[in-house]
Amino acid sequence: MVYNEVERTDRDEMRSMQDERLRTTVEHAYENVQFYRDALDDAGVSPGDIDGIDDISLLPFTGKEDFRDHYPTGLVAVDREDLRRIHASSGTTGKPKVVGYTEGDLQLWGEVMARSLVTAGVEPGHTVQNAYGYGLFTGGLGIHMGCETLGANVIPIGGGQTGRQLELLSDLGSDVLTCTPSYALYLAETAEKEGIDPREWNLSTVVIGAEPCTAPMRAEIEEALDVTALDIYGLSEIVGPGVSMECEAKDGLHVWEDHFYPEVVDPETGDPLPEGEEGELVFTTLTKEAVPVLRYRTGDLATLTREPCDCGRTMVRMSHVTGRSDDLLIVRGVNVYPSEIESVVLEFDEVAPYYRIDLRRDGQLDTIDVTVERSEAFDGDDEELAARLRDRLQTVLSLSPDSLDIAPPGGIERTETGKVKRVFDHR
Ligand SMILES: [Zn+2]
């Protein structure tokens, strides 16, 4: 089932729609945003040079720093009185990235979110327990609007309140839960501690997002909650959640490319990469009014494919984002992604699916300390377990951690609201 027939559009037709929408977007950005007028002028490109998608690489990139440099509303292309909503990203350093929406933008967002929910198997009348945070963060309200657009019954509980979440999952018979993958695991763990069996719930699906999730982590969630877990992707600079969504084929996430055009580029040079090669995801909005965005560099690493999908949707698919180019840790000259450490942790039943990475600098030398958590069921020897983990990490990372500590069950801090923090870089 699809929410909108456009999801099965013939590829040639899609391309001509994108060509036309790109021309309009470039004109709109050039006419109404000083930043884009300057950037295009500097690149020696005029809106008239852009006939369609084939010319997209002539356009300059937009970066995170451009949102910050033009804080708060320098990238807004419409009059203030035409804005209907403002969201902002939770910037960990400096000013947040502020984004605005017109009435049309909110409708568009509701539509792509409704498509995403249907792609996850949600139907009108289903009850969706929305455990993403409400507020300036786009997660909560984005999912919420999608439920309303679709005609699903949304429970706006937001993040945290784990006891209440469990109570509502039992008492209201929620069909679908939406939350971060780390929180899904935490809910499962808390349920187990309290003697609650998720198999007695009505819950069939968890829509996970806002954090990267490795395949073993997803399997862990599906097993622990007895559900299908499907990945949703988005970012506030483009619209919020609902830029792309994984379908039941579990073979990548369909990008709603009639509104958001994806490219993959070499993270170092910015050169476009051929289909199938991994690189940095870049998005251009094709219909946004308040904040049109040209070639936004997400920092997320993925591949794209236009091969037909079993679900019948024709829209391009992106692979799961397992790392961000800015997650990359360089330790003594070796490239390490936290997701690689996660995959090792999840291979071992003797440890819980939690870990912590601490990076320090000792003189000129980087040090990396990994802490994992013994699972309740494991009653073997910690030192012997640590040695096996260390061996496995050496094989996967080509680097052995300086220390590998095994914490007692519950010894690693859990995240109940917001995004999980696993890497602590003290350098
Ligand atoms: Zn599909």
Side-chain angles (χ1 to χ4, degrees), residues 267 278-281 299-303 319-325 337:
E278 185 178 82
E280 182 177 352
L281 269 174
D300 292 331
L301 301 175
T303 59
S319 58
H320 294 275
V321 172
T322 51
R324 302 191 82 124
S325 54
Y337 283 100

Side-chain angles (χ1 to χ4, degrees), residues 76-271:
V76 171
V78 298
D79 294 336
R80 196 185 172 92
E81 57 268 27
D82 290 327
L83 291 178
R84 292 293 174 272
R85 179 98 63 81
I86 298 270
H87 278 284
S89 70
S90 53
T92 43
T93 53
K95 295 285 192 187
K97 286 163 274 177
V98 172
V99 288
Y101 302 79
T102 63
E103 196 170 331
D105 292 334
L106 291 176
Q107 267 170 21
L108 144 70
W109 193 9
E111 148 90 25
V112 291
M113 265 310 313
R115 283 187 208 174
S116 302
L117 291 167
V118 169
T119 305
V122 184
E123 293 172 21
H126 275 172
T127 296
V128 180
Q129 185 162 327
N130 185 14
Y132 282 109
Y134 281 71
L136 284 175
F137 171 58
T138 49
L141 279 164
I143 301 270
H144 188 100
M145 282 193 303
C147 290
E148 292 190 334
T149 303
L150 175 62
N153 172 27
V154 59
I155 305 174
I157 181 163
Q161 308 183 67
T162 304
R164 176 62 54 82
Q165 300 273 6
L166 294 172
E167 189 176 62
L168 296 184
L169 280 163
S170 297
D171 296 349
L172 296 180
S174 310
D175 302 282
V176 180
L177 171 69
T178 58
C179 63
T180 60
S182 58
Y183 192 60
L185 276 180
Y186 181 69
L187 271 176
E189 183 189 48
T190 310
E192 195 185 335
K193 251 187 217 145
E194 295 185 6
I196 299 166
D197 182 5
R199 274 152 195 81
E200 288 171 9
W201 297 340
N202 197 35
L203 192 68
S204 61
T205 306
V206 181
V207 176
I208 49 174
E211 291 167 5
C213 182
T214 56
M217 174 78 100
R218 182 231 290 263
E220 189 98 19
I221 293 167
E222 294 191 317
E223 163 70 24
L225 290 174
D226 188 29
V227 291
T228 300
L230 295 168
D231 197 8
I232 189 165
Y233 173 85
L235 58 174
S236 58
E237 299 88 312
I238 299 304
V239 77
V243 171
S244 67
M245 180 73 214
E246 185 176 21
C247 69
E248 74 266 18
K250 286 190 173 173
D251 192 17
L253 290 76
H254 290 281
V255 179
W256 308 127
E257 60 174 313
D258 49 334
H259 297 292
F260 318 113
Y261 186 81
E263 296 171 85
V264 167
V265 304
D266 183 316
E268 302 292 324
T269 64
D271 292 337

Side-chain angles (χ1 to χ4, degrees), residues 247 249 254 309-313 317:
C247 69
H254 290 281
C309 181
D310 289 349
C311 75
R313 290 179 183 81
R317 280 170 291 151

Side-chain angles (χ1 to χ4, degrees), residues 1-40:
M1 193 176 122
V2 297
Y3 177 74
N4 187 324
E5 273 307 319
V6 74
E7 297 166 52
R8 298 193 274 226
T9 306
D10 170 85
R11 291 225 51 90
D12 289 340
E13 222 175 287
M14 176 60 65
R15 185 67 170 215
S16 59
M17 189 193 302
Q18 290 169 333
D19 286 343
E20 190 193 322
R21 290 179 172 185
L22 180 66
R23 288 195 295 270
T24 313
T25 294
V26 172
E27 267 167 37
H28 175 49
Y30 188 86
E31 292 299 318
N32 299 299
V33 184
Q34 184 71 43
F35 163 74
Y36 281 119
R37 191 153 48 240
D38 294 344
L40 265 77

